[in-house]
Amino acid sequence: MIKNMAEFTYKLNENGGGHILYFTEKLDDYVQNAVEFIISGIKNNEYVLFVENEPINLLVSQKLENILGADEIKRVHQISNFDFYCSTGNFHTVTILNYFFNTLDPYFDQNLKIRCWGHVEWPTQKHIIVH
C-alpha cells in the first residue's frame, strides 16, 4: 500500500501530473488507496473523476460517506468502468477519449482542477502474461 497518498500526489503535482499503472491483488489496500486518493484531491480543492467497477465503487462510497461532508462528496464523480470503457461494446480508444473529455468539459470550462482514477479490467489474452 502507498504509505502517504497526500505526499505522493503532491509530488505528482510538483512535476505537472502523471499517469500511474497500479497492480494489486489486495482489495482492502486497493480500496484504502482509492479513498486516500479521493480525500487528498478534495483537500487540494480538486474534483475527482473515479472510474471503477460497481462493487468497488460501493465500498469506496461507504468509506467516503463516513469521512467527507455532503459538499465534498458532490465533488466526487463516480462512473462505472464498464460504462466508461465499453460504452460501444468494446474497448475503443477514440470513443473512450471522447467520453472522457465530454465528462470533463464542464470542469475544464470552469478552469477547475480535476484528478482521475480509472480502473481498466482487462480480459485474459494469450499474448499478455501477468505475473
Side-chain angles (χ1 to χ4, degrees):
M1 182 162 79
I2 297 170
K3 297 297 180 198
N4 188 332
M5 185 61 73
E7 181 180 332
F8 181 72
T9 56
Y10 175 79
K11 288 183 180 191
L12 279 176
N13 286 335
E14 277 186 332
N15 294 314
H19 191 109
I20 302 158
L21 179 60
Y22 175 29
F23 288 96
T24 187
E25 292 182 9
K26 297 179 181 178
L27 180 61
D28 291 341
D29 289 349
Y30 181 83
V31 169
Q32 187 59 40
N33 279 333
V35 168
E36 290 176 17
F37 176 85
I38 292 169
I39 291 170
S40 177
I42 298 301
K43 288 183 179 181
N44 285 324
N45 202 32
E46 298 169 345
Y47 287 76
V48 179
L49 173 62
F50 189 71
V51 180
E52 186 54 79
N53 68 40
E54 293 298 330
I56 293 176
N57 259 331
L58 181 60
L59 292 171
V60 168
S61 290
Q62 290 169 342
K63 289 185 178 282
L64 291 175
E65 288 172 4
N66 294 322
I67 299 168
L68 299 177
D71 288 339
E72 293 170 318
I73 287 177
K74 288 179 185 175
R75 294 189 0 230
V76 180
H77 187 88
Q78 290 179 284
I79 298 177
S80 160
N81 64 347
F82 180 79
D83 293 341
F84 189 85
Y85 292 115
C86 297
S87 62
T88 61
N90 61 23
F91 192 87
H92 186 256
T93 307
V94 173
T95 305
I96 293 167
L97 288 173
N98 285 335
Y99 188 32
F100 178 75
F101 286 112
N102 288 336
T103 301
L104 297 183
D105 274 346
Y107 301 100
F108 293 146
D109 291 345
Q110 297 177 56
N111 203 28
L112 299 171
K113 290 183 182 180
I114 187 159
R115 65 172 55 199
C116 304
W117 178 289
H119 179 178
V120 178
E121 295 186 65
W122 203 266
T124 303
Q125 293 179 334
K126 291 180 184 178
H127 65 282
I128 298 176
I129 299 171
V130 178
H131 296 280

